[in-house]
């Protein structure tokens, strides 16, 4: 567990893993699976806000995963202990991040006359967005593609709403 916590903090944990591997209690392959599982479990638990993750619910979820009681106490101490803020800060620094949208502008443009008669008086939507890394992007979307985008976004939002209604995925306060 110390090796996994060190990895979450961004420190080199190779020496700690080597010591456990040399002890001979577990094969190297078993150790890899265990460390990967512990890392994923702690990373996901730390992703949730502390206010929405309750300690008893977390412990019960670990019991459902058939984790032994001694490790449940250790996992809970990492997730709910005083090192949580340091682990959250390290996770924010470490991971690759895609730029977000800083500014988004749009307008409807109607071309009154063009070299192509078929495009005359056809509206199009001009969009410009500026990303958090400072790069501006400008593009033109025909109304038909915009309607398709609008439909697909509404469909995804509906599916997300349906998923949130399931008891398995509810965050319990």
């Amino acid at each position: 567990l110390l090796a996994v916590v060190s990895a979450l903090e961004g420190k080199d944990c190779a020496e700690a893993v080597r010591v456990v591997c040399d002890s001979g209690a577990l094969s190297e392959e078993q150790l890899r699976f265990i460390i990967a599982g512990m890392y994923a479990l702690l990373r996901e638990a730390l992703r949730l806000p502390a206010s929405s993750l309750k300690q008893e619910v977390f412990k019960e979820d670990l019991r459902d995963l058939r984790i032994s009681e001694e490790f449940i106490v250790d996992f809970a101490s990492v997730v709910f202990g005083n090192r949580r803020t340091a682990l959250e800060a390290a996770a924010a620094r470490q991971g690759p991040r895609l730029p977000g949208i800083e500014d988004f502008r749009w307008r409807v443009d109607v071309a009154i006359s063009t070299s192509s008669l078929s495009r005359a008086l056809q509206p199009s939507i001009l969009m410009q967005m500026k990303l958090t890394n400072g790069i501006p992007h400008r593009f033109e979307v025909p109304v038909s593609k915009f309607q398709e985008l609008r439909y697909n976004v509404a469909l995804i939002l509906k599916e997300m709403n349906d998923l949130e209604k399931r008891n398995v995925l509810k965050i319990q306060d």
Side-chain angles (χ1 to χ4, degrees):
L1 186 62
L2 289 174
V4 174
V5 172
S6 295
L8 285 169
E9 289 176 336
K11 298 176 185 170
D12 184 23
C13 61
E15 187 61 36
V17 172
R18 199 171 304 119
V19 168
V20 174
C21 192
D22 291 342
S23 71
L26 297 169
S27 71
E28 188 176 337
E29 187 176 352
Q30 289 174 325
L31 189 61
R32 283 186 197 154
F33 284 122
I34 291 170
I35 288 176
M38 289 169 46
Y39 184 86
L41 182 89
L42 287 175
R43 189 185 66 226
E44 293 303 316
L46 291 169
R47 245 180 48 172
L48 294 172
S51 61
S52 67
L53 184 63
K54 302 297 181 208
Q55 190 166 358
E56 287 307 313
V57 174
F58 180 69
K59 286 182 177 181
E60 189 60 38
D61 289 343
L62 292 177
R63 284 186 195 96
D64 291 344
L65 291 171
R66 297 186 187 149
I67 294 175
S68 68
E69 201 61 41
E70 62 187 77
F71 291 119
I72 290 175
V73 172
D74 292 338
F75 279 120
S77 69
V78 170
V79 173
F80 298 101
N82 55 1
R83 294 178 76 182
R84 181 182 178 98
T85 54
L87 290 171
E88 287 174 340
R93 284 191 315 269
Q94 277 181 338
R97 301 280 183 233
L98 295 173
I101 297 175
E102 185 177 296
D103 185 34
F104 187 83
R105 295 173 186 241
W106 64 274
R107 72 172 193 232
V108 177
D109 191 21
V110 179
I112 295 174
S113 70
T114 63
S115 59
S116 169
L117 234 67
S118 63
R119 260 195 62 144
L121 297 175
Q122 294 247 336
S124 65
I125 297 150
L126 291 171
M127 297 184 203
Q128 179 178 356
M129 63 181 170
K130 183 178 180 185
L131 303 179
T132 53
N133 62 4
I135 299 174
H137 292 279
R138 185 180 205 146
F139 48 96
E140 181 178 351
V141 179
V143 174
S144 61
K145 284 293 180 190
F146 178 76
Q147 294 294 353
E148 185 180 334
L149 173 70
R150 193 176 66 87
Y151 172 78
N152 287 327
V153 168
L155 184 65
I156 289 171
L157 289 173
K158 181 191 175 300
E159 288 178 6
M160 287 173 58
N161 197 15
D162 292 345
L163 279 175
E164 286 177 353
K165 289 180 182 176
R166 291 186 181 175
N167 280 341
V168 174
L169 300 175
K170 275 191 180 173
I171 296 175
Q172 299 174 351
D173 289 328

